[in-house]
């Protein structure tokens, strides 16, 4: 059930492309970007800066996740000894 459902869910997702101006993913970058079409240049720059911060947050979170899984792996290993 879950495989069929996730396939249907994926089929429903619009194909996203990256906007050249704000570097965010948008359903129709060729038409009007949903993120930056209403913004002026300085607002777009601000948006890009915020986006960069988000990316950095995500990579920090990824490191914590990796660290956590290493600890769990070590604990599992110790429990077998
Ligand atoms: Zn854009």
């Amino acid at each position: 059930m879950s495989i069929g459902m996730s396939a249907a869910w994926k089929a429903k997702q619009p194909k996203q492309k990256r906007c050249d101006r704000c570097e965010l993913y948008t359903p129709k970058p060729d038409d009007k970007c949903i993120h930056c079409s209403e913004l002026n240049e300085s607002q777009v720059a601000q948006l890009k800066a915020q986006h960069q911060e988000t990316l950095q947050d995500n990579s920090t979170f990824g490191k914590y996740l990796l660290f956590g899984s290493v600890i769990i792996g070590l604990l599992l290993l110790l429990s077998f000894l």
Side-chain angles (χ1 to χ4, degrees):
M1 149 251 179
S2 63
I3 293 171
M5 275 185 72
S6 79
W9 184 80
K10 269 181 190 168
K12 269 189 187 175
Q13 297 302 302
K15 280 198 172 175
Q16 298 217 324
K17 282 188 174 180
R18 207 164 209 175
C19 167
D20 290 332
R21 195 162 170 240
C22 67
E23 295 176 6
L24 294 177
Y25 286 96
T26 178
K28 337 177 201 171
D30 302 327
D31 186 10
K32 251 190 173 184
C33 173
I34 55 168
H35 302 289
C36 67
S37 61
E38 310 274 300
L39 306 178
N40 63 34
E41 288 307 317
S42 68
Q43 283 172 318
V44 169
Q46 204 177 0
L47 187 70
K48 278 166 85 170
Q50 280 174 2
H51 182 53
Q52 287 299 319
E53 278 175 27
T54 314
L55 285 180
Q56 278 170 8
D57 283 353
N58 282 347
S59 69
T60 310
F61 178 71
K63 276 178 203 158
Y64 279 123
L65 212 64
L66 188 70
F67 187 68
S69 54
V70 168
I71 296 290
I72 290 168
L74 281 175
L75 287 174
L76 277 175
L77 201 67
L78 284 174
S79 72
F80 279 118
L81 294 176

